[in-house]
């Protein structure tokens, strides 16, 4: 027996002894507090005898609960849920009565009605104790997840085990290529280092490939392109559509559903996961039949809302609930401590991290992670062919603590453990699995536009229009995905960033922020305004924006040149003339910037004015128009450099001299790998369920 197995055995023995001891103490306390519960003879007993009686009773009750309870539950599966809920308490009390009767000394008496209370308290304490001791024990956690998935696995009995390997795609939201490389070099992600052949033993099993995002470097655009093959007409995280007079927000369930519907209509294909697929924790379904925590179906009402099904499945196991609850509380206090420490050290840049944020962060780093990982493990044990899951923990923390801060590094360590857990479970799945890890974008550091200049982009636009500017600037809320996931889980309306869902059609400009990308629209004009029209109405606006030191460049439609990019000091270059050799105002933004801007200019719902913040290529900083010190959504720095970590068993994503550019290109690569794993696939049309979900 190896050292690792001995440690697991000893760890299990230690937990069992500890639970037994705590249960014994609990029984002693209850015997002293409840008049109808005694552990001693009529004439009294010594403390030792009472303790032995309690220990025997607690041990017998624990054994009966472990051995008999599963059989009772199986016998009662056909009982209506309400009746079963009432029977649970009486059956549990009956087990306690039996346990006390088994005591050879004959000591131990309890009234039947009191037995129900005692058994319920002891079960809760034992579960809490066992869960608390296993909080850091991934082996114990994995075994509980096996049991959680066992019912799903049994549903496939009678079918032959699949022979072709399956594929698991794990998206580490917001983790840029350079951040991953740095984490591996620092030893923060030993599992990923081992895959890349940088660990203590074994050759590389995976290859790391960078890929460049579109101008809209955010989850909505990237994940829609990756899962559904197109992100056409997604100009930003949030934008105003003049034809419908609505503000679209990628993490609003109704918007996500509409974007998915448009993508399916444009491609004529259900998505990457149409063939025996599962979508977990994503904005979009990818055409999968198995959905949990998918935002595009969160707007659906009714008890069978599959967007939240994963929560109910996961928390049906009390031990899972205890583990996650304790980790949740710990992370809330961890965030409060880290925030206080940042204020005391007067760290810069810094944003406010009070209010509900500690709870939102804990949801992303603990609850969402645990539920999604458990769902992926269940899918693997059920043998599903293609699984795509999004873990948003790093993205949420990096927005508020910075992409290279110690807070974010701690999250990367825990994500590495989650990947290791998924890999370990693959050894017990009914089919072989290949694990692909990828990101949807990176994050660029930098202080906020408001912190540097004392005004928001909306105030700057109003000043350029000659409109009154509020004396006190209103802060823009973060548009991170975790906040919307919390609201969807609680069935609350998702209205992020303070924007109106349907702004009134007056002359007031609608100014929206997506990281360091700003969008300005004039709702009273039904078409996309041209530079000439804007100059006639607001002669100072475009020059005010283009010449502001916090603005990198401005894109606007033109009657003369179709579209132009404006920069400081009167720079003006037609979009058609932009390229990497003649980038004009885009010179600091690197290769591919011209093509990304040209593509977005052709979108039907591009804003009247597209504003990208200043970018410093020396230190990689941008200025977010939102309250984020790690941001993404526009051009500039690490936010546009994502990664793809793939098994070497798959063909190379691109040729040695090629570049992986855009989410749609990533989709085609993942499609190719699925064909390599399971043979030719026939793209399936969107099913009725997909359209209903969308």
């Amino acid at each position: 027996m190896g050292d690792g197995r001995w440690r697991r055995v000893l760890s299990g023995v230690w937990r069992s002894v500890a639970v037994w001891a705590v249960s014994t103490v609990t029984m002693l306390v209850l015997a002293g507090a409840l008049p109808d519960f005694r552990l001693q003879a009529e004439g009294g007993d010594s403390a030792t005898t009472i303790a032995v009686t309690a220990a025997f009773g607690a041990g017998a009750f624990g054994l009966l609960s472990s051995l008999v309870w599963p059989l009772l539950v199986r016998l009662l599966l056909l009982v209506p849920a309400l009746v079963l809920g009432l029977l649970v308490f009486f059956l549990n009390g009956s087990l306690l009565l039996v346990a006390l009767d088994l005591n050879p000394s004959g000591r131990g008496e309890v009234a039947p009605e009191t037995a129900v209370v005692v058994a319920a308290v002891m079960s809760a304490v034992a579960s809490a104790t066992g869960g608390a001791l296993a909080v850091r024990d991934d082996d114990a956690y994995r075994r509980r997840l096996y049991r959680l998935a066992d019912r799903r696995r049994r549903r496939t009995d009678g079918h032959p085990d699949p022979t072709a390997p399956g594929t698991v795609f794990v998206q580490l939201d917001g983790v840029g290529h350079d951040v991953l490389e740095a984490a591996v070099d620092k030893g923060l992600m030993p599992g990923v280092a081992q895959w890349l052949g940088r660990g203590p033993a074994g050759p590389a099993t995976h290859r790391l490939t960078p890929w460049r995002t579109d101008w809209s470097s955010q989850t909505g655009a990237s994940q829609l392109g990756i899962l559904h093959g197109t992100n056409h007409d997604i100009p930003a995280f949030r934008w105003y559509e003049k034809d419908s007079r609505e503000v679209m927000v990628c993490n609003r369930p109704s918007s996500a559903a509409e974007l998915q519907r448009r993508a399916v209509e444009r491609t004529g294909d259900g998505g990457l996961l149409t063939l025996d697929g599962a979508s977990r924790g994503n904005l979009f379904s990818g055409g999968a039949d198995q959905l949990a925590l998918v935002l595009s179906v969160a707007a659906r009402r009714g008890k069978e809302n599959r967007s939240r099904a994963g929560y109910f499945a996961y928390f049906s196991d009390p031990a899972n609930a205890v583990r996650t609850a304790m980790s949740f509380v710990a992370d809330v206090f961890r965030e409060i401590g880290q925030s206080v420490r940042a204020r005391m050290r007067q760290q810069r840049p810094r944003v406010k991290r009070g209010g509900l944020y500690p709870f939102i962060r804990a949801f992303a780093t603990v609850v969402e992670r645990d539920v999604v990982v458990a769902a992926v493990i269940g899918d693997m044990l059920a043998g599903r062919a293609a699984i795509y899951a999004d873990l948003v923990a790093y993205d949420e923390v990096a927005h508020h603590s910075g992409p290279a801060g110690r807070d974010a590094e701690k999250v990367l360590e825990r994500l590495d453990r989650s990947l290791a857990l998924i890999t370990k479970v693959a050894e017990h799945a009914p089919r072989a699995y290949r694990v692909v890890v990828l990101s949807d974008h990176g994050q660029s550091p930098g202080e906020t536009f408001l912190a540097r200049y004392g005004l928001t982009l909306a105030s700057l636009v109003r000043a350029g229009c000659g409109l009154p500017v509020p004396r006190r600037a209103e802060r823009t809320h973060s548009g991170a995905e975790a906040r919307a996931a919390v609201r969807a889980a609680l069935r609350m309306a998702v209205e992020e960033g303070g924007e109106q869902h349907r702004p009134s059609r007056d002359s007031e400009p609608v100014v929206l922020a997506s990281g360091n990308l700003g969008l300005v629209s004039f709702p009273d004009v039904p078409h996309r305004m041209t530079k000439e029209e804007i100059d006639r109405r607001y002669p100072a606006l475009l020059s005010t924006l283009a010449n502001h030191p916090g603005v990198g460049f401005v894109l606007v439609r033109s009657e003369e040149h179709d579209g132009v990019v404006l920069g400081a000091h009167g720079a003006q270059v037609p979009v058609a003339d932009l390229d990497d050799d003649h980038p004009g105002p885009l010179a600091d933004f690197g290769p591919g910037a011209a093509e990304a801007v040209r593509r977005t200019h052709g979108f039907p719902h591009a804003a009247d004015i597209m504003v990208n913040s200043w970018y410093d290529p020396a230190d990689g900083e941008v200025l977010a128009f939102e309250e984020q010190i790690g941001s993404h959504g526009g051009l500039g720095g690490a936010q546009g450099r994502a990664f793809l970590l793939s098994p070497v068993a798959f063909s190379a994503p691109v040729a040695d001299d090629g570049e992986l550019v855009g989410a749609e290109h990533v989709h085609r690569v993942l499609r190719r790998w699925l064909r390599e794993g399971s043979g030719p696939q026939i793209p399936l049309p969107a099913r009725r369920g997909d359209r209903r979900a969308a």
Side-chain angles (χ1 to χ4, degrees):
M1 186 181 293
D3 291 341
R5 189 173 179 185
W6 272 116
R7 281 195 296 270
R8 289 193 295 271
V9 171
L10 292 175
S11 176
V13 171
W14 153 245
R15 282 197 305 275
S16 299
V17 171
V19 171
W20 184 15
V22 172
S23 298
T24 300
V25 172
T26 303
M27 183 172 279
L28 288 170
V29 171
L30 292 173
L34 299 174
D36 294 330
F37 181 28
R38 290 190 303 107
L39 294 176
Q40 55 185 323
E42 291 284 349
D45 279 318
S46 66
T48 302
T49 302
I50 296 174
V52 169
T53 301
F56 184 91
F61 178 68
L63 286 174
L64 288 172
S65 298
S66 300
L67 300 176
V68 178
W69 185 252
L71 299 177
L72 291 175
V73 171
R74 288 177 184 272
L75 292 174
L76 294 171
L77 284 178
L78 298 179
V79 174
L82 179 60
V83 177
L84 179 58
L86 296 174
L87 284 177
V88 162
F89 293 99
F90 296 105
L91 291 172
N92 215 19
S94 301
L95 289 180
L96 178 65
L97 291 172
V98 173
L100 293 175
D101 285 341
L102 292 176
N103 193 333
S105 67
R107 291 173 173 79
E109 296 180 6
V110 61
E113 62 274 14
T114 306
V116 173
V117 177
V118 174
V121 173
M122 289 189 61
S123 295
V125 170
S127 177
T129 303
L133 294 173
V135 164
R136 299 289 295 178
D137 189 335
D138 283 343
D139 287 331
Y141 182 43
R142 186 174 70 250
R143 289 192 293 272
R144 288 200 300 276
L145 293 181
Y146 287 164
R147 292 195 295 272
L148 176 67
D150 188 52
R151 284 172 296 179
R152 303 179 198 171
R153 195 175 181 177
R154 286 197 298 272
R155 291 173 193 163
T156 64
D157 286 351
H159 301 281
D161 284 347
T163 56
T167 307
V168 179
F169 302 102
V170 182
Q171 178 179 303
L172 302 185
D173 206 299
V175 180
H177 176 270
D178 297 342
V179 166
L180 187 75
E181 284 275 22
V184 169
D185 291 341
K186 291 180 180 180
L188 301 175
M189 305 185 78
V192 173
Q194 190 67 49
W195 283 354
L196 294 173
R198 304 178 194 176
T205 59
H206 286 62
R207 62 168 67 88
L208 181 62
T209 307
W211 70 275
R212 194 167 67 234
T213 68
D214 304 285
W215 186 2
S216 182
S217 53
Q218 47 88 18
T219 304
S222 292
Q223 197 179 86
L224 188 67
I226 292 170
L227 287 178
H228 288 279
T230 179
N231 57 9
H232 175 76
D233 205 19
I234 311 291
F237 182 78
R238 49 174 70 86
W239 66 96
Y240 177 69
E241 296 192 346
K242 293 188 174 185
D243 48 359
S244 65
R245 298 173 55 192
E246 289 192 11
V247 172
M248 300 290 286
V249 187
C250 287
N251 68 356
R252 178 188 290 138
S254 58
S255 296
E258 173 61 17
L259 295 178
Q260 181 173 305
R261 185 198 66 78
R262 294 178 188 177
V264 171
E265 184 178 80
R266 181 175 178 84
T267 63
D269 178 77
L272 183 72
L273 309 173
T274 52
L275 185 62
D276 190 24
S279 180
R280 310 299 187 186
N282 300 310
L283 294 182
F284 310 104
S285 75
D289 284 326
Q290 299 295 323
L291 306 174
L293 322 184
V294 175
L295 206 66
S296 63
V297 302
R300 292 163 52 185
R301 300 296 177 185
K303 291 185 291 185
E304 308 223 351
N305 184 339
R306 288 184 293 173
S307 74
R308 298 192 300 157
Y311 293 112
F312 298 118
Y314 180 79
F315 288 111
S316 63
D317 185 334
N320 286 339
V322 171
R323 170 191 168 102
T324 299
M326 292 187 66
S327 296
F328 180 91
V329 172
D331 208 72
V332 168
F333 283 104
R334 182 180 296 113
E335 162 56 27
I336 293 173
Q338 291 169 347
S339 178
V340 170
R341 187 164 57 250
R343 288 199 303 271
M344 291 178 63
R345 294 177 178 177
Q346 297 185 339
Q347 291 181 359
R348 293 289 186 273
R350 190 177 74 246
V351 293
K352 289 186 176 181
R353 293 159 59 175
L356 293 176
Y357 172 68
F359 299 94
I360 294 171
R361 165 184 155 152
F363 176 87
T365 58
V366 176
V367 178
E368 196 265 357
R369 177 202 65 200
D370 286 354
V371 173
V372 168
V373 169
V376 170
I377 289 173
D379 293 327
M380 294 168 70
L381 295 177
R384 297 197 172 98
I387 306 159
Y388 194 104
D390 186 13
L391 300 177
V392 303
Y394 173 86
D395 190 65
E396 179 64 33
V397 174
H399 276 313
H400 297 82
S401 303
R406 184 57 184 156
D407 302 359
E409 290 182 344
K410 285 291 187 182
V411 175
L412 292 174
E413 291 177 336
R414 293 195 288 272
L415 289 176
D416 187 74
R417 290 201 293 268
S418 296
L419 294 177
L421 183 60
I422 290 172
T423 305
K424 189 69 175 176
V425 169
E427 300 173 3
H428 305 274
R431 72 194 305 167
Y433 275 99
R434 295 166 175 171
V435 180
V436 176
V437 184
L438 72 162
S439 63
D440 48 348
H441 54 78
Q443 287 205 21
S444 296
E447 63 183 325
T448 68
F449 189 86
L450 173 61
R452 178 165 294 189
Y453 299 108
L455 80 167
T456 62
L457 177 63
S459 296
L460 181 63
V461 169
R462 293 183 66 85
C465 293
L467 299 171
V469 177
R471 291 186 177 182
R472 184 174 181 178
E474 293 187 4
R475 294 178 179 269
T476 305
H477 298 294
S478 166
E481 289 82 355
R483 195 177 300 267
V486 173
R487 289 177 174 269
L490 298 176
R491 302 300 291 273
M492 297 170 63
V494 179
E495 299 293 334
E496 283 296 333
E499 68 276 358
Q500 294 177 291
H501 195 155
R502 295 180 66 90
S504 60
R505 256 192 187 164
D506 54 26
S507 58
E508 293 279 318
V510 175
V511 183
L512 302 172
S514 296
N516 74 317
L517 176 63
L519 294 87
V520 183
S521 298
F522 299 95
D524 61 322
V525 178
H527 59 267
R528 185 181 176 192
M529 293 185 72
T530 64
K531 177 182 181 298
E532 292 77 8
E533 289 176 314
I534 296 171
D535 283 341
R536 284 194 291 271
R537 178 185 279 196
Y538 303 115
L541 176 57
L542 292 177
S543 61
T544 297
L545 292 174
N547 286 290
H548 192 278
V551 172
F553 65 90
V554 173
L555 170 68
V556 66
R557 187 172 162 235
S558 168
E559 295 173 3
E560 181 180 357
H561 301 291
D562 179 52
V564 293
V565 169
L566 308 178
H569 312 299
Q572 178 174 314
V573 180
V575 170
D577 295 343
L578 289 171
D579 57 40
D580 289 342
D581 294 328
H582 302 89
L586 307 181
D588 288 339
F589 293 88
E595 181 55 37
V597 169
R598 185 162 32 250
R599 178 174 184 259
T600 301
H601 174 64
F603 289 170
H605 289 112
D608 291 329
I609 307 172
M610 305 282 292
V611 184
N612 203 98
S613 88
W614 163 89
Y615 165 61
D616 184 354
D619 55 18
E621 290 191 355
V622 300
L623 298 174
F625 298 124
E626 299 182 87
E627 285 300 291
Q628 300 171 346
I629 59 173
S631 67
H632 58 88
L635 286 174
Q639 62 183 313
R641 189 174 167 87
F643 75 86
L644 181 60
L645 183 63
S646 57
V648 294
F650 286 135
S651 59
V654 289
D656 291 340
D657 58 347
E659 260 194 309
L660 192 53
V661 179
E664 295 179 1
H665 192 178
V666 175
H667 171 85
R668 294 192 294 272
V669 171
L670 302 191
R671 280 272 194 186
R672 187 213 315 156
W673 287 345
L674 289 178
R675 289 194 298 270
E676 291 174 4
S678 56
Q681 292 181 311
I682 301 175
L684 301 178
R687 293 179 291 274
R688 182 177 301 174
D690 290 329
R691 294 192 182 97
R692 185 170 61 250

